[in-house]
Amino acid sequence: MELVFALVIGALTASGVYLLLRARTFPVVVGLTLISYGVNLFLFSSGRLATGAQPILGTTSSYTDPLPQALVLTAIVIGFAMTAFLVVLALRSLADHEDDHVDGHQDVHATSSYQKPEETGK
Amino acid sequence: MNHWLTAPILIPLLGGILQVFMGYAPISLRRTLAIATTVLLLVSTIVLVVLASDDSYRLYAFGNWQPPFGIVLVLDRLAALMLVLTAILAIFCHIFAIGGADEGNRQFHGLFLFQLMGLNIAFLTGDLFNLFVAFEVLLIASYGLLMHGGGRARSIPGVHYVVLNLAGSAVFLISVGMIYSVTGTLNMADLALKIPELTGEKMSIVKAGGMMLLVVFALKAALIPLCFWLPKAYANATAPVAALFAVMTKVGIYAILRVYLLVFGDDAGALANLGMDWLFPLALITLTMGVIGALGADNLKTLVAWQVIISVGTLLAPIALGSAAGISAALFYLLSSTWTVGGLFLVAEMIANQRGSARDKIVTAPRMRNRTFLSVLFLIGAVAAAGLPPLSGFFAKLLILQSVLSGSEMAWLWSVVLIGSFFTVIAYSRAGSIVFWRTVDGHIEEPRPLGGNVSVAAGALAGLSLVLVALAGPISEFTDATAAQLLNPGDYLEILKTPMVKGDN
């Protein structure tokens, strides 16, 4: 189980980082979501992995650490709120710039930057 | 337990909730209530400073749970200092905002108060996970505030800011998980007790976690190479928001001071002073980068935003060296630079409103009205920021330089700070002389009137550097005592043994 768990966290985080570097708002949002899944699983495992153990005293002979579960719950709620905000912001940026690049324009070569002087702030 | 400790959290929380439900109330009523909330907050933080100045630690355990297991608030001199710093900055930003900058968004005051709540939780918490929650609370409010006023120019820096901070939050959670998996606790006092006992593989995991935590705090503090998101985001924010954000980078610095002096302090065995030898050169490079950015700025707000980065570098260099004198000097500079930078953002906005389409660009433009008043404010702000005598920036930099008097650290710190200050002076004098002196004939048609609130707020923040000089004695006594308290974490660890009783202290 430990190996599968570690591989899943690694795959989620690696895919998330790859998508984050795509520099388009939609892949970035999906990438951040994947990273936050990976992080939540990692946080969950920080209390040690156990099967059939509940985080409540007295219900079974063995019990698992309840604290990581509380931490993960908080992290999930915060992560959802942040992702929702980022989606709205990405849509707003798309509407403002008619492009989903995180810098607001598709082509970052020197030739096209002359046509968009307002991007440089000069 | 002392219930005053919850006041800086509960006051903005209740005020913010009130604002949420009053979105459609007349704006004058909303403004009055918002200002009343901020004034109450300031009063409560002053009470906490008075409480903290007897050198004891005060504890508030939620639900009366014993510290390593429950959530605690801890008040010491450093927390009280940061609280009062934020409250004073906030009240002037708020007075500036009710001069008209809060229009166009019904929830401006609510977001503003929630941001203050997040800041205050971050300063009071004694628990690493709660620090994460506080960061998220203040960040989500700051996302809203950053976008306040809308416009194309704000959406791109906004996206960058949100994405970077979300990535930072992920790293924060990973490091918290790593530290928890080994030590089984997230209470800072308990961590300080458990970390020196670690050995071998467990120690390596905590070391990795600690270094990742430093990366997160460095991102919040805008330390190089994690600082390039800041100038564009701050320069495009509304003026009172940008001024309030002057304290946001200081949250990262506060977290470094708190966690790395307590948890990874001198007593942490093999992990003592973790990461501090990295911090010193990075701080000096940050300072240099900030000065280069300030020299290259093409408008006043960008110039001030780079000043934020300069102050981060100047602050972290003495903190990384870890001497009591250095930390005390850094705390004095923290007060000075936060208020000065906040004031400069407000002054830049007032100048922009008087210059028509030239806004705050550093270009020749028709002469503005109220030039004398604005130029005096800009001069005071620039002198305090660049660190020229006789204002507080000079005293703070002098204290920082005096705290290191030997070795290669002295050579590096003195040369970088002094040469950096010289070029900062050049940057400000270039901007000031073009904006105020090199004008073409005639006046801007129909400039926006200079509001009373606005002038009072910007004038007061600039004037605080004079107050800091006048009260330099008592304030530096307070920062000296704060540094001494920070470097002796023994008393902090006593809070774990505090019996949970119903009476107050």
Side-chain angles (χ1 to χ4, degrees):
Chain A
M1 184 169 68
E2 285 82 359
L3 182 67
V4 174
F5 204 86
L7 283 176
V8 166
I9 293 175
L12 281 172
T13 313
S15 323
V17 170
Y18 174 75
L19 287 174
L20 200 57
L21 299 175
R22 298 290 293 160
R24 298 260 156 203
T25 48
F26 182 70
V28 163
V29 172
V30 176
L32 278 171
T33 315
L34 289 184
I35 289 179
S36 78
Y37 290 151
V39 167
N40 288 342
L41 286 175
F42 179 82
L43 208 56
F44 189 72
S45 71
S46 67
R48 306 289 183 275
L49 296 172
T51 322
Q54 290 164 2
I56 300 168
L57 278 176
T59 47
T60 47
S61 56
S62 68
Y63 67 95
T64 185
D65 191 348
L67 198 84
Q69 313 208 353
L71 301 189
V72 169
L73 191 61
T74 317
I76 289 172
V77 173
I78 290 175
F80 270 132
M82 295 292 178
T83 310
F85 184 85
L86 183 59
V87 169
V88 174
L89 194 58
L91 287 173
R92 172 67 179 274
S93 169
L94 176 64
D96 278 352
H97 300 269
E98 293 171 351
D99 196 301
D100 67 342
H101 194 274
V102 289
D103 283 333
H105 54 93
Q106 200 154 11
D107 199 354
V108 290
H109 293 302
T111 47
S112 68
S113 65
Y114 287 121
Q115 295 156 7
K116 291 198 168 188
E118 76 273 19
E119 299 293 344
T120 61
K122 297 260 195 258
Chain B
M1 296 217 293
N2 193 317
H3 293 283
W4 271 107
L5 264 66
T6 55
I9 298 168
L10 291 181
I11 291 170
L13 174 65
L14 295 176
I17 291 173
L18 206 60
Q19 295 289 334
V20 168
F21 287 113
M22 295 204 331
Y24 288 88
I27 195 162
S28 55
L29 179 62
R30 279 188 278 143
R31 283 174 174 170
T32 314
L33 281 172
I35 287 286
T37 316
T38 326
V39 171
L40 265 180
L41 175 66
L42 179 60
V43 172
S44 75
T45 57
I46 290 171
V47 171
L48 291 185
V49 170
V50 173
L51 275 180
S53 54
D54 67 352
D55 269 326
S56 66
Y57 287 89
R58 281 185 174 73
L59 179 73
Y60 188 88
F62 282 99
N64 233 353
W65 284 69
Q66 187 69 28
F69 309 109
I71 293 169
V72 289
L73 300 181
V74 181
L75 176 78
D76 65 347
R77 280 173 177 268
L78 178 64
L81 187 75
M82 297 302 291
L83 286 172
V84 80
L85 161 80
T86 311
I88 290 176
L89 180 70
I91 196 160
F92 291 123
C93 293
H94 221 144
I95 292 173
F96 189 94
I98 63 173
D102 59 345
E103 287 160 10
N105 178 349
R106 295 189 180 280
Q107 299 305 339
F108 176 84
H109 292 297
L111 287 171
F112 194 96
L113 293 172
F114 285 132
Q115 163 131 37
L116 290 180
M117 179 183 79
L119 287 166
N120 292 344
I121 299 175
F123 295 143
L124 280 170
T125 185
D127 176 290
L128 267 189
F129 191 75
N130 244 28
L131 189 64
F132 165 77
V133 175
F135 274 14
E136 296 306 307
V137 171
L138 74 91
L139 282 175
I140 202 156
S142 76
Y143 300 156
L145 285 175
L146 190 66
M147 297 303 294
H148 172 71
R152 278 174 62 110
R154 291 199 178 113
S155 56
I156 292 303
V159 170
H160 293 181
Y161 179 74
V162 175
V163 169
L164 264 173
N165 277 305
L166 286 182
S169 303
V171 178
F172 198 160
L173 278 175
I174 293 174
S175 54
V176 162
M178 287 167 94
I179 292 173
Y180 180 80
S181 68
V182 172
T183 58
T185 181
L186 287 174
N187 183 290
M188 291 186 203
D190 206 21
L191 278 175
L193 286 177
K194 293 208 167 134
I195 280 180
E197 295 162 7
L198 299 173
T199 48
E201 200 175 280
K202 288 187 167 182
M203 193 191 77
S204 306
I205 294 178
V206 171
K207 190 174 181 183
M211 290 304 277
M212 280 169 80
L213 211 52
L214 190 62
V215 171
V216 179
F217 295 154
L219 173 69
K220 309 289 173 196
L223 190 72
I224 208 157
L226 303 168
C227 67
F228 297 101
W229 54 272
L230 188 142
K232 225 176 169 184
Y234 282 29
N236 285 310
T238 325
V241 173
L244 182 66
F245 280 10
V247 82
M248 296 262 286
T249 52
K250 274 59 176 187
V251 182
I253 291 166
Y254 166 83
I256 289 176
L257 262 177
R258 173 66 81 210
V259 173
Y260 288 84
L261 286 180
L262 176 65
V263 179
F264 300 106
D266 288 334
D267 304 328
L271 292 180
N273 300 322
L274 180 71
M276 288 300 122
D277 41 352
W278 284 84
L279 203 55
F280 183 67
L282 284 178
L284 293 185
I285 300 171
T286 310
L287 175 54
T288 315
M289 192 65 222
V291 174
I292 294 171
L295 282 172
D298 56 5
N299 64 58
L300 288 178
K301 279 190 186 167
T302 312
L303 173 66
V304 184
W306 283 104
Q307 177 66 41
V308 175
I309 291 177
I310 296 175
S311 64
V312 168
T314 317
L315 271 167
L316 282 176
I319 288 174
L321 294 177
S323 67
I327 291 170
S328 167
L331 290 172
F332 193 88
Y333 185 74
L334 185 91
L335 291 173
S336 165
S337 71
T338 310
W339 289 333
T340 305
V341 166
L344 275 173
F345 271 122
L346 301 185
V347 174
E349 175 72 13
M350 289 161 74
I351 293 172
N353 284 342
Q354 301 297 313
R355 292 178 82 220
S357 60
R359 297 293 295 165
D360 59 341
K361 290 195 193 95
I362 304 176
V363 291
T364 306
R367 186 174 296 174
M368 68 189 97
R369 292 175 201 277
N370 308 105
R371 193 169 64 148
T372 319
F373 176 64
L374 289 176
S375 59
V376 167
L377 283 188
F378 184 79
L379 179 73
I380 293 176
V383 165
L388 292 179
L391 294 183
S392 58
F394 171 73
F395 281 94
K397 278 192 178 164
L398 191 67
L399 287 172
I400 288 176
L401 294 181
Q402 277 179 343
S403 71
V404 190
L405 288 174
S406 62
S408 62
E409 281 94 359
M410 175 189 167
W412 281 107
L413 187 77
W414 280 55
S415 53
V416 173
V417 169
L418 290 176
I419 297 172
S421 301
F422 173 67
F423 281 106
T424 317
V425 173
I426 292 181
Y428 279 109
S429 41
R430 176 184 73 105
S433 55
I434 293 175
V435 168
F436 292 106
W437 287 345
R438 204 179 300 163
T439 50
V440 295
D441 287 339
H443 284 286
I444 299 283
E445 295 299 316
E446 296 173 19
R448 290 200 219 166
L450 206 60
N453 297 331
V454 172
S455 314
V456 166
L461 268 183
L464 277 174
S465 58
L466 295 168
V467 175
L468 273 172
V469 171
L471 299 177
I475 291 173
S476 59
E477 267 172 35
F478 192 91
T479 56
D480 281 344
T482 310
Q485 196 182 26
L486 277 172
L487 289 170
N488 286 311
D491 291 341
Y492 192 103
L493 309 184
E494 288 293 310
I495 64 171
L496 287 175
K497 296 175 193 148
T498 312
M500 290 291 104
V501 287
K502 289 203 175 91
D504 56 11
N505 56 332

